[in-house]
Amino acid sequence: MKQRLSAFDDFHKKYFVINNYFLSFNSDEIFKFEPQNNTCSSKSRYYFELKKIVNLPCPCCGRIMTTRDEMNDFVENIKMAKGQTLIEELTKYEGRIKGIEKQVLKKVKINAKKHPDKNLKELFKQMYRNSIQQLENSQQKVIAKVMKLSDGLEGRTYITVKKDIKTVNTLLQKRRNSQVFKRKTFITSFYKLIMEEENPRNKKILELIAQKAKGLPTSGNSTDAFIVKYHRRRIDEIAQRLLDASLASTEHVNPRSCGGVNDPSNYLVQCKYCNSERSSLEYKDWLKKHPEMKRNIQVHIDKVISLILNEQINGYDFYPLVIKYTLVKESKGLLDINIENIIDYLKYKYLAA
């Protein structure tokens, strides 16, 4: 690990000194180096020391991210917690959680107050009784709309789709077997029919059905689906899922699918939720959805620079420099962070005679 971190800084230090780096900082020719592609082995290519920084805000959403160590501590504490203790443990990280997990957490806290003798898993079992009914009602509403659309189908396609819907209805009506129903499999079956369908009318109706079927609730958008899915899981799995979206993860600024390298010069610490949502989306499109990133990424990099200046992290003196280059290049100038503080530090540390 130390060798890899050293290699990253040594590579840029050498370039910095030889080229009298930053003496013409406003020049367009300032960034001429190529990222060092071999700083990370294939076994640990996603390792990034900055993911260990505590209280580091996400450069996209701005929420404080959770380190792996914090996650492990949270899970261990939750295992033994009940009642007020459980509420307090959940509250510690409540500000980091967003999406459906935040709504689930609120439900858990309400029920923990009502049932102070129950741990997290026992509360999920308690909430399951109501959630399974609510989930089935939501599912039935979507299936009814799919059923109505399928009335317009013709020939064998009509028979096939009606048979599939009947099977799903049977599963949903048997509460004990509700977990057997697979939303993804159900939706995929329609897309398979679309690919095979030759009748233009049937194809158009199948496309409408597939789109409507996507409205079926999932653990990612429904508290009831979340509770039903996780009520049989181990307590540590439930706890980890609640905090998982806030986990600090390695974001490839230039996505791997677009040729991005596995190297700190292409890494940005980002919460798992934002990392997953962006995927390989271009920044011009991503920033339309998340204009707040322009502000939040500066707060993020200012925190990193502060830690470097106070020597609280080692081996990343040049990280703000190279990530600025990567961000400007990948975003076509839309993300241009201010790194003046680190520039003065680097000049003094590496150029002063």
Side-chain angles (χ1 to χ4, degrees):
M1 179 183 74
K2 290 183 179 180
Q3 289 181 343
R4 281 191 279 110
L5 296 179
S6 176
F8 174 75
D9 254 12
D10 286 348
F11 175 78
H12 297 294
K13 174 185 175 183
K14 185 180 295 183
Y15 187 91
F16 179 83
V17 174
I18 292 175
N19 292 276
N20 239 2
Y21 223 133
F22 293 125
L23 294 185
S24 58
F25 185 70
N26 294 323
S27 169
D28 292 335
E29 299 299 317
I30 185 168
F31 294 112
K32 294 181 179 179
F33 64 84
E34 292 296 326
Q36 188 181 14
N37 297 333
N38 62 350
T39 53
C40 296
S41 66
S42 58
K43 183 178 180 180
S44 55
R45 58 185 178 180
Y46 301 121
Y47 179 84
F48 192 29
E49 183 77 9
L50 300 190
K51 289 195 295 184
K52 291 184 176 182
I53 297 175
V54 177
N55 292 326
L56 185 65
C58 174
C60 181
C61 68
R63 292 174 183 268
I64 297 299
M65 294 180 284
T66 302
T67 66
R68 177 59 65 181
D69 286 343
E70 286 179 316
M71 170 70 86
N72 292 338
D73 289 342
F74 173 75
V75 172
E76 286 303 312
N77 291 338
I78 288 294
K79 284 181 180 179
M80 304 300 293
K82 296 181 181 180
Q84 187 58 36
T85 303
L86 176 58
I87 292 173
E88 290 172 0
E89 288 297 329
L90 294 172
T91 302
K92 286 180 185 178
Y93 295 93
E94 189 171 11
R96 306 183 184 194
I97 301 173
K98 60 181 178 178
I100 201 63
E101 288 86 352
K102 192 173 187 69
Q103 296 176 42
V104 172
L105 185 141
K106 287 180 179 179
K107 277 195 171 185
V108 171
K109 288 175 66 177
I110 291 171
N111 279 274
K113 195 170 184 178
K114 292 179 180 178
H115 308 282
D117 59 327
K118 296 184 182 298
N119 62 27
L120 184 62
K121 181 176 176 60
E122 291 167 339
L123 288 174
F124 262 68
K125 287 185 176 181
Q126 181 79 28
M127 294 186 294
Y128 169 81
R129 299 170 186 175
N130 181 62
S131 289
I132 185 61
Q133 185 63 60
Q134 295 297 326
L135 176 60
E136 288 175 354
N137 290 341
S138 298
Q139 291 171 329
Q140 289 286 4
K141 288 178 181 178
V142 175
I143 297 300
K145 293 176 181 177
V146 170
M147 176 73 82
K148 187 174 181 179
L149 284 171
S150 69
D151 290 339
L153 294 169
E154 301 172 344
R156 293 185 61 84
T157 301
Y158 172 85
I159 297 172
T160 300
V161 171
K162 288 296 185 182
K163 182 178 179 181
D164 287 346
I165 296 174
K166 183 179 179 180
T167 300
V168 169
N169 269 324
T170 300
L171 290 174
L172 296 181
Q173 288 167 8
K174 294 181 178 180
R175 180 174 296 190
R176 292 182 180 178
N177 294 326
S178 292
Q179 69 274 13
V180 175
F181 169 62
K182 300 292 184 180
R183 174 184 178 275
K184 185 176 180 180
T185 302
F186 183 60
I187 296 172
T188 301
S189 68
F190 292 121
Y191 281 105
K192 184 178 179 181
L193 287 172
I194 291 171
M195 296 294 292
E196 299 172 349
E197 185 59 57
E198 296 179 357
N199 183 321
R201 174 183 167 80
N202 279 353
K203 186 181 286 286
K204 186 174 182 179
I205 293 174
L206 286 169
E207 289 172 349
L208 291 173
I209 288 175
Q211 194 62 38
K212 188 64 68 177
K214 286 183 177 180
L216 285 164
T218 72
S219 61
N221 60 30
S222 163
T223 56
D224 293 316
F226 188 106
I227 291 167
V228 169
K229 178 178 180 179
Y230 281 89
H231 82 284
R232 289 190 175 181
R233 300 291 182 88
R234 300 193 314 268
I235 192 169
D236 57 315
E237 290 182 282
I238 300 172
Q240 184 163 328
R241 171 61 195 271
L242 285 173
L243 204 56
D244 189 59
S246 70
L247 193 65
S249 66
T250 302
E251 155 86 341
H252 288 72
V253 177
N254 179 17
R256 291 181 60 229
S257 59
C258 300
V261 296
N262 291 316
D263 183 89
S265 62
N266 190 42
Y267 289 164
L268 195 64
V269 183
Q270 195 160 274
C271 78
K272 198 171 178 179
Y273 185 97
C274 292
N275 193 346
S276 177
E277 187 184 357
R278 185 206 167 199
S279 186
S280 58
L281 199 65
E282 291 185 14
Y283 275 113
K284 64 180 179 65
D285 298 318
W286 179 247
L287 290 172
K288 288 178 182 177
K289 295 177 63 177
H290 296 280
E292 71 277 11
M293 184 174 185
K294 289 186 178 181
R295 177 185 68 254
N296 292 334
I297 197 168
Q298 187 64 56
V299 175
H300 171 90
I301 204 67
D302 285 346
K303 170 76 172 180
V304 173
I305 289 175
S306 176
L307 292 170
I308 293 172
L309 296 180
N310 291 308
E311 299 184 345
Q312 292 177 270
I313 51 175
N314 299 311
Y316 283 93
D317 283 0
F318 295 94
Y319 174 73
L321 171 82
V322 293
I323 200 60
K324 174 185 173 75
Y325 162 71
T326 306
L327 285 165
V328 169
K329 183 178 180 181
E330 186 63 22
S331 70
K332 296 179 174 58
L334 294 174
L335 291 174
D336 189 4
I337 53 178
N338 184 330
I339 58 170
E340 289 182 5
N341 289 343
I342 200 70
I343 292 172
D344 292 337
Y345 170 80
L346 293 173
K347 282 182 179 180
Y348 177 79
K349 185 174 182 178
Y350 296 106
L351 293 181

